[in-house]
Amino acid sequence: MFDGQTVLGNRGIMNKKRMFPQADRYCVRLLEEVRPNIYQTTYELSSFPFAPRVDMFCVVEPGERAMLIDTGWWEITGVGALNEMVRRFNVPWENVQVFLTHFHNDHAGNLDFCLENGAHLVMHGPDDPLTKEDYAQFLRKTGADLVGERGDELAALAAMAGRPDLTAHGSRDVPLTGSEHIDIAGYSFKPILTPGHAPEHVCLQEEREGILFAGDHIVEKVPLASQYKADSQVLLRYLEGLQTVGDMNLTEMYMSHCRSRRDEEIPAEVQRIIHFYERPLRKTLNLLIEASGEPLSIYELACRYYAYRKERIADLDSITRMRRLSGVFLFAEYLHDIGLVQRVEDADGVLRYFA
């Protein structure tokens, strides 16, 4: 089946250095119509550490215009599906608009390609991107700095949650507030702000048809949320967003890394994820109680949290290490937000937690 390896208009993409050179893909569906004028492309992935598949969607008025819901990433999806969309449906790039659920590479990594080719509009969630200084503060406040975690970690964090240049090619950049309606191909979509997996994460709902494009707000493998700033109430807001989805009257929910869910599967999936967080939160609280009042940094807490694993935190690759630290930070901050643990900042600027 066509896999997007050989494409036109790559403009140097294939010469870029790959972050995951071992990753490979197989296209199992290419622009399959799942609803009138809504098309899905699915790639199964191998040797990519964050997901077993990528699902990309577009809404098309053939011969007129199209909206991409995320762009994929040249490294794991290529750009063949994008080129095929404009060719098959005779839509000029100048009439293509992009809706980004969030800025992670596997969702926005082909944005530059789209803008180079003429896509005119980029819509995304509230524009408050994490900066290099935010990541440096994260390393400092979690205590990772004190044990030598620095050089590769900043690069790893930037790679995990980078932000593309949305206006480099003269396109219109539209941060969404949740009050807009996006009308295309007979549908009227409403953005739903769902911070958690990423601060800017946003879903796309069509209330009349009962469908939701959930991005990474809902995926099979949890935990999904991560936290890099203190007092940002990430898990509180994420759980609220999950409940919002669970309360919607949906007939189908499309996600970016797993099969769609229909009807009664949807609230059940939402509740599965909400309940998932009960165990790690209880474990984090118990570890702090067992410390008998000794204030622990996030790095120290993470070492205890993952003590059951063979590999030590310090022995992991940079990306995995930072993901684990950000997860434990998420749990500790949530427990602090709801008043179950206390937090102090020591003379080195490290946040320490105790129960």
Side-chain angles (χ1 to χ4, degrees):
M1 184 176 288
F2 171 80
D3 67 357
Q5 296 281 358
T6 304
V7 295
L8 299 175
N10 284 349
R11 302 196 181 187
I13 279 179
M14 296 309 177
N15 295 323
K16 293 184 177 181
K17 183 178 179 180
R18 297 185 66 188
M19 291 176 58
F20 302 99
Q22 75 283 6
D24 201 2
R25 65 180 179 269
Y26 177 72
C27 185
V28 297
R29 80 165 54 84
L30 177 64
L31 295 171
E32 178 181 302
E33 191 170 29
V34 293
R35 285 183 177 252
N37 296 318
I38 297 178
Y39 299 86
Q40 179 176 1
T41 296
T42 301
Y43 291 96
E44 291 183 352
L45 306 177
S46 61
S47 301
F48 181 64
F50 302 125
R53 61 187 274 176
V54 170
D55 295 89
M56 302 160 57
F57 301 90
C58 58
V59 187
V60 181
E61 295 176 3
E64 297 293 335
R65 60 185 182 137
M67 178 174 66
L68 300 172
I69 301 174
D70 291 334
T71 67
W73 183 20
W74 60 270
E75 180 158 342
I76 56 173
T77 67
V79 295
L82 303 176
N83 281 328
E84 178 64 9
M85 183 203 70
V86 297
R87 185 202 66 80
R88 181 184 299 186
F89 299 115
N90 191 30
V91 175
W93 272 108
E94 292 74 16
N95 290 352
V96 174
Q97 59 192 39
V98 178
F99 177 94
L100 293 177
T101 60
H102 57 301
F103 294 138
H104 290 178
N105 277 342
D106 53 330
H107 295 258
N110 279 337
L111 180 63
D112 192 56
F113 173 81
C114 296
L115 299 181
E116 282 183 354
N117 280 281
H120 71 285
L121 179 68
V122 183
M123 298 171 284
H124 55 87
D127 197 10
D128 185 22
L130 293 165
T131 66
K132 188 174 181 179
E133 178 56 29
D134 290 330
Y135 298 138
Q137 285 280 356
F138 169 75
L139 295 177
R140 188 157 48 247
K141 289 186 177 296
T142 58
D145 257 0
L146 299 182
V147 291
E149 310 295 342
R150 185 67 180 186
D152 291 342
E153 280 63 26
L154 282 176
L157 288 167
M160 289 159 55
R163 181 192 189 281
D165 186 349
L166 303 178
T167 59
H169 303 282
S171 62
R172 185 177 162 213
D173 171 25
V174 181
L176 299 167
T177 66
S179 62
E180 302 86 354
H181 282 85
I182 305 166
D183 297 322
I184 185 170
Y187 298 99
S188 183
F189 293 102
K190 178 178 176 59
I192 308 295
L193 305 186
T194 48
H197 178 75
E200 73 283 355
H201 197 286
V202 59
C203 298
L204 197 58
Q205 180 189 18
E206 217 293 352
E207 189 171 8
R208 183 183 67 243
E209 297 293 327
I211 59 177
L212 182 77
F213 293 97
D216 280 0
H217 190 55
I218 310 268
V219 297
E220 288 179 332
K221 187 177 179 180
V222 289
L224 311 174
S226 55
Q227 185 159 340
Y228 299 101
K229 288 183 177 181
D231 299 316
S232 51
Q233 299 186 324
V234 172
L235 190 51
L236 275 174
R237 297 161 68 199
Y238 177 59
L239 294 175
E240 289 173 358
L242 284 172
Q243 195 58 60
T244 296
V245 171
D247 292 340
M248 292 177 179
N249 185 24
L250 297 176
T251 61
E252 190 145 23
M253 179 171 64
Y254 299 101
M255 294 159 288
S256 296
H257 299 294
C258 55
R259 69 172 182 84
S260 65
R261 300 296 195 269
R262 296 183 59 86
D263 301 321
E264 67 278 357
E265 289 184 302
I266 298 170
E269 184 70 5
V270 168
Q271 290 305 311
R272 179 186 71 85
I273 296 174
I274 291 174
H275 292 320
F276 169 88
Y277 280 98
E278 294 176 359
R279 183 176 179 181
L281 287 169
R282 188 181 309 114
K283 180 176 180 177
T284 303
L285 179 59
N286 287 339
L287 286 171
L288 291 169
I289 292 173
E290 290 168 6
S292 302
E294 175 191 358
L296 300 178
S297 71
I298 294 299
Y299 192 93
E300 293 165 342
L301 187 55
C303 289
R304 299 187 187 196
Y305 188 99
Y306 290 105
Y308 67 95
R309 291 184 175 268
K310 292 181 180 179
E311 70 277 8
R312 300 180 308 153
I313 291 285
D315 296 332
L316 297 169
D317 64 89
S318 297
I319 290 180
T320 304
R321 183 161 53 246
M322 292 303 100
R323 284 169 66 91
R324 289 190 180 174
L325 286 176
S326 69
V328 173
F329 191 34
L330 175 85
F331 303 147
E333 279 288 298
Y334 177 82
L335 293 171
H336 175 257
D337 289 338
I338 63 175
L340 291 181
V341 305
Q342 303 300 308
R343 187 187 73 192
V344 295
E345 184 172 338
D346 69 16
D348 295 313
V350 177
L351 297 177
R352 294 186 174 274
Y353 300 80
F354 61 95

